[in-house]
Amino acid sequence: MLIRPMTEHELTDAYGIRYQQLYPHGGEDLAPWGFGRAVVEPGGATEPHQHEENEVFVFLAGSGEITIGEERAPVHPELSVFIPGGSRHVVTNTGDSRLVFLSVYWPESHGPVSL
């Protein structure tokens, strides 16, 4: 069993927001996939970026907007978003409280994804 606390103290600066790498803990080179917790303050946004891994965001609290390429959509709790590898993306907090989501990512080599 592996248990990780998700407290304020565990968050670090990454992607222009606050982020906690939950697994692998100690470096992304330890596993080909991983997940973490992201916190975007009101009015804040992730830095626009892209990477080769596929990614899913699972929104837990707050409200905002996600942009993937040229597409935009509102985000809120109980919503998940799939981001294909290589897609430029950004999450913006449009609400008045923290936007919190989990990020799960894996390499394309783990199998094809059909949309």
Side-chain angles (χ1 to χ4, degrees):
M1 180 183 321
L2 179 62
I3 299 174
R4 298 255 186 261
M6 293 192 303
T7 64
E8 195 70 23
H9 174 73
E10 308 299 324
L11 294 167
T12 61
D13 293 329
Y15 305 101
I17 60 169
R18 304 287 286 158
Y19 185 79
Q20 176 186 3
Q21 183 73 26
L22 294 163
Y23 183 87
H25 187 69
E28 292 184 357
D29 56 333
L30 298 176
W33 65 276
F35 72 96
R37 174 178 64 119
V39 175
V40 185
E41 297 295 340
T46 62
E47 296 167 349
H49 66 284
Q50 63 192 48
H51 38 74
E52 293 306 311
E53 297 85 8
N54 293 312
E55 192 167 24
V56 169
F57 291 165
V58 179
F59 291 89
L60 304 175
S63 61
E65 180 179 82
I66 189 164
T67 303
I68 303 172
E70 299 298 319
E71 293 183 85
R72 288 183 183 205
V75 294
H76 51 80
E78 300 181 1
L79 186 74
S80 66
V81 177
F82 171 72
I83 305 163
S87 300
R88 188 170 173 83
H89 54 282
V90 61
V91 175
T92 304
N93 184 335
T94 60
D96 55 6
S97 62
R98 283 179 150 184
L99 178 60
V100 180
F101 61 95
L102 297 178
S103 163
V104 181
Y105 57 90
W106 65 97
E108 289 188 64
S109 63
H110 276 46
V113 175
S114 72
L115 300 176

